[in-house]
Amino acid sequence: MSPTSTETLDEILKAHDYDPTLVIGIMQDIQKEYHYLPQDALIYVAKKLGISQANIYGVATFYENFSLEPKGKYIIKICDGTACHVRKSVPILEEIRSILGVTDKKPTTDDMLFTVETVSCLGACGLAPVCTVNDHVHPAMTPEKAREIIEQIRKEEGLCP
């Protein structure tokens, strides 16, 4: 991951009028840009907003959607809520992890292309089992469909399956 750009961070801060009460929105925009919340970005933002680093880290660690660890370009979320679980989301998760060589302890591929996460609910229970790739919903998933999605992404990235 390239280091954060103070120019990019300043643009994000300016879009939020350097308002410390908008720290969650600021952090969402930083995460959207970098796929996680880099430490140097949080320190910079805390200083620019005049809030403590402890405060900004408190927000970053309180909300499950924020990540302090780098994530891949493609974030795959597999739903394991009740509807998805009973419709066999676990074999889908196992297939994706097997193909990508990731685990729950090491969810991101070494090439920083994929991150695999499980979530409690994606809010698409009627389409179960569901996964998302960068927030694009893939309904009625199967291990075979998951394999096809990964192969398609690799092809688009110019990588061999």
Side-chain angles (χ1 to χ4, degrees):
M1 254 312 137
S2 60
T4 57
S5 159
T6 55
E7 290 172 3
T8 300
L9 295 174
D10 283 335
E11 287 173 20
I12 292 169
L13 288 164
K14 184 178 179 183
H16 293 274
D17 297 321
Y18 289 85
D19 185 345
T21 66
L22 302 177
V23 71
I24 293 172
I26 291 166
M27 291 167 69
Q28 287 172 326
D29 287 353
I30 292 169
Q31 184 159 292
K32 188 174 185 179
E33 178 72 25
Y34 296 102
H35 303 289
Y36 78 113
L37 297 173
Q39 180 179 3
D40 61 333
L42 294 180
I43 292 168
Y44 183 82
V45 167
K47 183 178 179 181
K48 287 289 191 171
L49 294 178
I51 59 177
S52 72
Q53 290 178 26
N55 188 334
I56 205 158
Y57 274 96
V59 173
T61 57
F62 179 79
Y63 292 101
E64 191 175 312
N65 200 43
F66 289 133
S67 175
L68 298 175
E69 297 296 322
K71 292 189 178 190
K73 181 177 180 181
Y74 297 94
I75 300 170
I76 302 171
K77 295 180 182 181
I78 296 96
C79 182
D80 197 36
T82 303
C84 289
H85 187 83
V86 300
R87 292 188 181 164
K88 310 225 184 298
S89 63
V90 173
I92 297 162
L93 173 63
E94 290 170 347
E95 179 72 8
I96 291 171
R97 284 181 173 163
S98 173
I99 292 167
L100 297 177
V102 298
T103 65
D104 61 335
K105 302 252 189 267
K106 184 189 169 292
T108 301
T109 57
D110 291 336
D111 62 5
M112 298 301 293
L113 196 58
F114 296 97
T115 296
V116 179
E117 303 174 339
T118 58
V119 295
S120 297
C121 185
L122 287 169
C125 303
L127 304 174
V130 175
C131 81
T132 62
V133 179
N134 291 351
D135 298 323
H136 176 80
V137 177
H138 295 273
M141 284 301 299
T142 64
E144 296 76 22
K145 286 181 182 178
R147 191 176 318 110
E148 291 170 9
I149 290 168
I150 292 169
E151 288 172 4
Q152 181 62 37
I153 291 170
R154 284 180 167 162
K155 185 184 288 186
E156 290 170 6
E157 290 291 327
L159 304 172
C160 298

